[in-house]
Amino acid sequence: MRVSCRVNGEQREADGVWPGESLLYLLRERLGLPGAKNACEQGECGSCTVYLDGLPVCACLVAGGQAQGREVVAVEGLAGPDGGLDRVQHAFLQAGAVQCGFCTPGLIVAVHDLLARVSTPTDADIREALAGNLCRCTGYEKIMDAVRSAAALPPSTAAACPASRPGGPR
């Protein structure tokens, strides 16, 4: 079947999508967006979290055909049009919250969603928002630091930060 949907603000189509194919497979293999990761295929780890019509979902649990006519935003779609990173992406880099990187895309989408709902989250809010995301490398403290840092930034300032631009200082 053919699936047509908006992905990261662009109309996209994929042919040959089979009925049992996941949205994760559709994004990674058919549309060339490798950001969301395939880890558990059971919705337990959060590595494949994307927005579907504005709500975070585990892309491994959503049939690809369900994206027909809908809006999908993956971690690649959070960066600004100038290539600058979203405040959450920037904060993760600055805090050293990225280690192996496998869980990072899902964590970033989860935090992005949290900050869209709660401008000044408490540590309890942060823990609850991250409860569906597993990280085996960090121990979560640097992730918590990154969320606190991102929350302290106005939504529009991190994308303008030179350190967050591709090729910018690190």
Side-chain angles (χ1 to χ4, degrees), residues 147-160:
V147 178
R148 291 183 202 109
S149 294
L153 293 170
S156 61
T157 58

Side-chain angles (χ1 to χ4, degrees), residues 16-17 23 25 39 41 76 96 118 124 136 145 167-168:
V17 176
L23 176 58
Y25 188 90
E41 296 183 351
E76 295 95 338
V118 181
R136 295 184 175 131
D145 292 343

Side-chain angles (χ1 to χ4, degrees), residues 45-58:
C45 72
S47 294
C48 66
T49 304
V50 300
Y51 284 110
L52 181 61
D53 289 340
L55 297 174
V57 299
C58 290

Side-chain angles (χ1 to χ4, degrees), residues 8-128:
N8 298 334
E10 296 179 15
Q11 192 63 34
R12 302 287 302 268
E13 287 186 352
D15 289 317
V17 176
W18 51 279
E21 189 171 302
S22 70
L23 176 58
L24 179 61
Y25 188 90
L26 176 75
L27 292 170
R28 290 179 58 82
E29 306 303 326
R30 299 203 185 269
L31 299 179
L33 296 169
K37 303 299 184 221
N38 185 4
C40 71
E41 296 183 351
Q42 297 177 5
E44 295 291 328
C45 72
S47 294
C48 66
T49 304
V50 300
Y51 284 110
L52 181 61
D53 289 340
L55 297 174
V57 299
C58 290
C60 70
L61 296 179
V62 177
Q66 289 182 308
Q68 175 63 35
R70 297 173 80 182
E71 178 82 24
V72 178
V73 178
V75 69
E76 295 95 338
L78 298 180
D82 66 350
L85 300 179
D86 171 80
R87 68 178 169 159
V88 177
Q89 294 167 320
H90 174 72
F92 266 65
L93 287 173
Q94 294 301 105
V98 176
Q99 290 200 8
C100 83
F102 213 76
C103 65
T104 306
L107 285 165
I108 287 174
V109 173
V111 173
H112 188 272
D113 179 63
L114 168 67
L115 296 180
R117 293 180 291 107
V118 181
S119 61
T120 310
T122 64
D123 282 0
D125 293 331
I126 297 169
R127 284 189 198 95
E128 183 178 340

